[in-house]
């Protein structure tokens, strides 16, 4: 058996070797090529000149319209146009069902997807069904003049 001093020395040598290898792996190596002296991030004088030009432009604007002048007002926004009125609802004839005097009109209002079954004399909103024939429906809106609806084809 080895004595304790030799074991301790071997342990210290193994530990030191491990630490040196770990440092060699983890510490980044310096690049062998040198970066050019004038690059996009290194042109300090060019960036300074560009900043001075932008500052000169801002000074011209503030001299035309001083920041703390009592007459300085924001530019007025153009007035918004009044919203267009919604389109007038239109009654559309979808179909006619039945025979002889038992006819039913299938109609739809343009503002709705719902289908309505109406008999002669029925009302739907402002419309009143006056007559139903084999190919048309006679309607009156708000008690006004009668008009005919035909099936859209």
């Amino acid at each position: 058996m080895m004595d304790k001093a030799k074991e301790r020395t071997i342990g210290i040598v193994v530990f030191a070797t491990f630490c040196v290898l770990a440092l060699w792996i983890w510490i980044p190596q310096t690049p062998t090529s040198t970066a050019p002296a004038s690059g996009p991030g290194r042109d300090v004088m060019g960036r300074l000149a560009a900043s001075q030009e932008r500052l000169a432009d801002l000074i011209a604007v503030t001299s035309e319209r001083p920041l703390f002048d009592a007459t300085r007002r924001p530019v007025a926004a153009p007035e918004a146009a009044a919203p267009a009125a919604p389109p007038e609802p239109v009654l559309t004839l979808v179909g006619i069902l039945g025979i002889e005097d038992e006819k039913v009109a299938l109609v739809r209002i343009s503002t709705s997807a719902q289908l309505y079954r109406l008999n002669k004399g029925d009302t739907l909103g402002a419309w009143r069904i006056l007559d139903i024939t084999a190919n048309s429906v006679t309607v009156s809106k708000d008690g006004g003049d009668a008009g005919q609806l035909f099936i859209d084809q």
Side-chain angles (χ1 to χ4, degrees), residues 88 123-128 139-145:
E88 184 74 21
T123 60
L124 176 63
W127 293 281
R128 181 174 187 82
V139 295
S140 171
K141 184 173 181 184
D142 293 326
D145 293 336

Side-chain angles (χ1 to χ4, degrees), residues 3-24:
D3 60 357
K4 290 202 181 242
K6 282 186 179 181
E7 287 179 11
R8 185 178 173 114
T9 306
I10 292 173
I12 291 175
V13 170
V14 169
F15 180 71
T17 305
F18 174 75
C19 289
V20 169
L21 288 175
L23 286 175
W24 182 69

Side-chain angles (χ1 to χ4, degrees), residues 18-127:
F18 174 75
C19 289
V20 169
L21 288 175
L23 286 175
W24 182 69
I25 292 172
W26 287 329
I27 294 178
Q29 297 178 354
T30 57
T32 55
S33 65
T34 59
S38 63
R42 307 230 184 244
D43 189 15
V44 175
M45 295 307 290
R47 291 190 332 212
L48 181 60
S51 296
Q52 287 175 342
E53 288 175 17
R54 285 185 293 199
L55 185 59
D57 292 341
L58 290 175
I59 290 173
V61 170
T62 56
S63 65
E64 293 170 7
R65 296 179 59 211
L67 288 175
F68 301 106
D69 191 356
T71 62
R72 181 181 170 105
R73 298 284 180 249
V75 177
E79 291 185 27
E88 184 74 21
V90 177
L91 191 65
T92 305
L93 179 61
V94 177
I96 298 172
L97 302 175
I99 56 170
E100 304 290 329
D101 294 334
E102 301 289 326
K103 292 189 177 115
V104 175
L106 296 175
V107 296
R108 177 177 291 144
I109 299 176
S110 63
T111 57
S112 172
Q114 186 173 355
L115 197 62
Y116 299 94
R117 296 176 63 162
L118 301 174
N119 294 314
K120 182 177 176 180
D122 288 347
T123 60
L124 176 63
W127 293 281

